[in-house]
Amino acid sequence: KSDIKDREWTENKLDNTKNTEKKAVKTIGFMAVIIFVAKVMGLLRETMIAGVYGRGYESDLINTATQIPLLFFDMTLGIAILSTFVPIFNKYLEKEGRERAEEFANNFMNTVITVSTLAAIVGIILARPIVSIMVPGFDENKVLETARLLRLLFPAIIFTAAAYTSVGILQSFGEFNIPSLISFVSNLIMILYLTIFGDKFGLTGVILSMLVAWAAQLFVQLPSLKKKGFKYRLTFNFCDKGIKEAALLALPVLISSWIQPICAVINMAFGSSLGDGAVSGLNWANKIYIIMVGVFAYAITNFIFPKLSRMNAGDNEKGFAETTQTSIGFAVYIITYIAAMFIALSVPIIKVVFEHGEFTADDTVLTASALLYYSLGMVAYAICEVLNKSFYAIQDGKTPMYSSIVGIAVNFIAAYLLVGVLKMGVGGLALSGAISSVAIALVLLVMINKRRGRVITLEFVINMLKTFACGVLASLTAWFIYKLTANMFGSGIIITFVKLCIAALPALIVYILAGFVLNVKEFKQICGFFKR
């Protein structure tokens, strides 16, 4: 009887593990599809703007005006909202119950709405000096026009702050699909506006449509919040213990989240002196880069963050280490192939995506050089995304903060050397960003073992190096095949896309076969999942 019970218990445990694994894969897979579609739509939005305005004076205005509120938001609240909210909210769910968790959630949301409103007011009042500081290479007319557009867009950060908190609530309740849809909705609004009106109402119309699109990110989540039983209350209790915990964690988290906006500011400052279109070229290359990292890295981190927070609250150190290691491994395995293709095929990729309307072949070359160098840091960026969430889950904001300070310093020094001394132009700015990402990833990889042991082991490092070797082989394959077909069949957009596929598919086969030969762990896990 004892043997039968043990066997039944083991079988039930295996069934539960398989069901949990299938559910996790389905959830992450669905999220990845939604995020991919949303990111592609975001790219379509950018190509439509590029087609209308080209890479010149007006595109610099709109790209600068849209980047600054996001940078401002990231530097005042941004990532700190989710990164401080989710661990504390899940701790209350785990230990004190839903009522206490929702009380904290309402206090938190009202606090961030208040802070973001004040930030928006400051941004509107100081729009002109902000633009002058951000892009010192702009002439007076360019500064004034950018500041005018900026004042229209700054209120968007209020809606974004509330939307971020809503995302944290829904993800903590196990709802991942609706939060993944918010970018889809906002991009759809922008695409519809550009399709119907184009430049009919000028840059003002485009900016106002962006404001509506960002506001929609909040409103699309409200039905799901109601369905989950969450009740919003206009409460302000700044003495709430949870608010105090969030405030203590927020400062290091905020500083650690400054790496991307400050590096973007550094690149905008250097890029503004490189002539019309340099800022836009960097922005568009960065958009493609972030899209492909975001599809998989964000899907993985959004799924594991509440889980890691609950593991930390339940003192499950082994599960925490295993989940973090597995997440890094899969992020690296997927992103390495994408980075390899971007490095080998940057010019045809930019040509297919952007080269139409006012976007010329010269614009393609400039933007492609930025994409190539950005791609060298793509895997490191994905690692940073996973490890930052791991540190935030254990309510450690100081380690990401210190690593970000290192990254900012590295980015500035590299930008000065590569652009100011070696005159590498836009490519040098992108390379400085990639070097910064690598520096941060190395610091985080070392530090995670000091906080939670057995995450980064020698076996794990060797497996990562095997994955990189697979990526090098895939990149060389794609580059060689594309070179063979470069002068065949013409050079139109559709023909170029076909050539891209002809180059990328054999490279994928090489990547998979190399994973089999080198016995890459993630390759075996994927095969095992499909067998089951």
Side-chain angles (χ1 to χ4, degrees):
K1 287 182 180 179
S2 177
D3 289 343
I4 291 171
K5 286 183 178 179
D6 287 345
R7 188 162 60 250
E8 287 177 347
W9 181 87
T10 302
E11 288 173 355
N12 287 334
K13 185 179 179 182
L14 287 170
D15 287 341
N16 289 335
T17 301
K18 288 178 181 178
N19 289 334
T20 302
E21 186 184 58
K22 287 179 181 178
K23 185 179 178 181
V25 171
K26 285 180 180 178
T27 302
I28 294 175
F30 188 67
M31 285 170 63
V33 170
I34 293 173
I35 292 172
F36 178 73
V37 173
K39 296 292 185 181
V40 168
M41 290 176 71
L43 190 59
L44 176 59
R45 177 199 69 208
E46 293 298 321
T47 60
M48 292 176 77
I49 292 173
V52 173
Y53 297 110
R55 183 185 60 84
Y57 183 88
E58 289 181 310
S59 66
D60 278 352
L61 294 180
I62 197 166
N63 277 297
T64 305
T66 53
Q67 281 189 73
I68 289 175
L70 290 175
L71 295 173
F72 207 81
F73 176 71
D74 286 342
M75 294 176 73
T76 53
L77 288 169
I79 296 172
I81 293 177
L82 277 176
S83 301
T84 59
F85 174 79
V86 171
I88 298 170
F89 184 75
N90 278 275
K91 184 178 74 174
Y92 284 137
L93 279 177
E94 186 82 12
K95 295 185 175 181
E96 298 186 33
R98 176 165 178 152
E99 185 177 346
R100 175 69 183 97
E102 289 199 8
E103 179 188 355
F104 163 69
N106 278 298
N107 280 324
F108 188 92
M109 180 174 286
N110 292 323
T111 301
V112 299
I113 289 173
T114 301
V115 173
S116 60
T117 300
L118 293 173
I121 293 170
V122 170
I124 291 169
I125 294 171
L126 301 178
R128 188 190 177 285
I130 289 172
V131 174
S132 298
I133 293 169
M134 292 288 197
V135 279
F138 278 11
D139 60 39
E140 183 64 17
N141 289 334
K142 215 169 180 180
V143 169
L144 290 173
E145 183 63 15
T146 304
R148 183 184 70 81
L149 299 174
L150 188 55
R151 291 187 185 98
L152 297 174
L153 198 55
F154 247 119
I157 68 175
I158 302 169
F159 298 106
T160 308
Y164 270 40
T165 309
S166 300
V167 165
I169 295 169
L170 289 175
Q171 288 180 349
S172 297
F173 286 149
E175 174 55 67
F176 295 95
N177 295 332
I178 296 301
S180 301
L181 277 171
I182 61 175
S183 293
F184 173 89
V185 172
S186 63
N187 286 327
L188 179 61
I189 290 170
M190 280 297 305
I191 289 170
L192 288 175
Y193 175 85
L194 290 167
T195 301
I196 296 169
F197 299 109
D199 191 38
K200 185 176 181 180
F201 300 104
L203 294 177
T204 301
V206 176
I207 289 294
L208 289 176
S209 69
M210 285 184 177
L211 178 61
V212 172
W214 285 2
Q217 292 188 343
L218 169 63
F219 296 118
V220 76
Q221 296 183 78
L222 298 182
S224 291
L225 286 170
K226 185 177 180 181
K227 186 178 178 181
K228 290 293 180 180
F230 178 78
K231 295 180 180 179
Y232 172 73
R233 295 181 179 87
L234 190 62
T235 57
F236 289 91
N237 182 7
F238 297 116
C239 296
D240 182 278
K241 184 182 175 183
I243 297 296
K244 291 180 180 178
E245 285 185 64
L248 289 172
L249 182 59
L251 182 59
V253 170
L254 273 174
I255 295 173
S256 67
S257 70
W258 288 354
I259 176 62
Q260 287 303 317
I262 288 181
C263 288
V265 169
I266 292 170
N267 288 348
M268 284 171 64
F270 278 100
S272 65
S273 63
L274 296 176
D276 285 346
V279 171
S280 298
L282 271 173
N283 178 54
W284 285 322
N286 190 55
K287 286 281 171 65
I288 297 180
Y289 166 83
I290 294 297
I291 282 171
M292 296 314 298
V293 175
V295 167
F296 300 102
Y298 295 168
I300 291 171
T301 55
N302 287 344
F303 181 78
I304 67 166
F305 190 30
K307 185 177 179 181
L308 289 174
S309 300
R310 287 191 291 272
M311 285 177 174
N312 182 63
D315 298 321
N316 184 359
E317 290 197 13
K318 183 180 178 183
F320 184 96
E322 289 177 352
T323 300
T324 301
Q325 187 182 91
T326 301
S327 301
I328 295 171
F330 275 104
V332 169
Y333 186 71
I334 295 167
I335 299 299
T336 296
Y337 172 74
I338 297 169
M341 295 304 97
F342 277 19
I343 291 168
L345 306 170
S346 59
V347 172
I349 287 172
I350 296 297
K351 181 184 174 93
V352 168
V353 175
F354 286 114
E355 196 175 302
H356 67 278
E358 298 297 319
F359 199 95
T360 66
D362 289 338
D363 300 335
T364 293
V365 173
L366 182 140
T367 308
S369 70
L371 178 62
L372 187 154
Y373 287 114
Y374 269 134
S375 301
L376 296 173
M378 187 178 283
V379 173
Y381 185 93
I383 292 172
C384 292
E385 285 297 311
V386 176
L387 286 179
N388 277 337
K389 288 295 190 291
S390 298
F391 281 109
Y392 298 148
I394 59 177
Q395 297 183 38
D396 174 8
K398 290 183 179 179
T399 301
M401 177 185 74
Y402 295 140
S403 67
S404 294
I405 292 171
V406 171
I408 291 167
V410 169
N411 184 264
F412 181 81
I413 294 168
Y416 176 77
L417 292 174
L418 295 172
V419 179
V421 178
L422 298 179
K423 307 298 182 185
M424 286 183 63
V426 170
L429 288 177
L431 181 57
S432 67
I435 293 170
S436 174
S437 295
V438 172
I440 297 169
L442 291 174
V443 172
L444 293 175
L445 286 167
V446 171
M447 294 304 297
I448 190 65
N449 271 8
K450 293 187 176 182
R451 292 303 314 272
R452 289 291 185 273
R454 303 295 300 168
V455 176
I456 309 302
T457 61
L458 178 61
E459 179 185 359
F460 177 78
V461 172
I462 292 172
N463 188 70
M464 250 198 326
L465 292 174
K466 289 179 181 178
T467 302
F468 294 157
C470 296
V472 171
L473 291 173
S475 187
L476 291 173
T477 301
W479 177 83
F480 179 73
I481 292 175
Y482 189 81
K483 282 294 181 183
L484 287 178
T485 61
N487 297 319
M488 298 169 60
F489 313 119
S491 59
I493 300 297
I494 295 175
I495 296 298
T496 303
F497 176 74
V498 172
K499 291 177 183 177
L500 273 175
C501 295
I502 291 172
L505 290 176
L508 178 60
I509 294 170
V510 168
Y511 189 69
I512 293 170
L513 290 175
F516 172 74
V517 172
L518 294 177
N519 202 27
V520 174
K521 180 182 177 182
E522 287 71 31
F523 172 77
K524 291 193 298 181
Q525 288 176 327
I526 292 171
C527 290
F529 172 77
F530 281 111
K531 284 179 182 178
R532 289 192 296 274

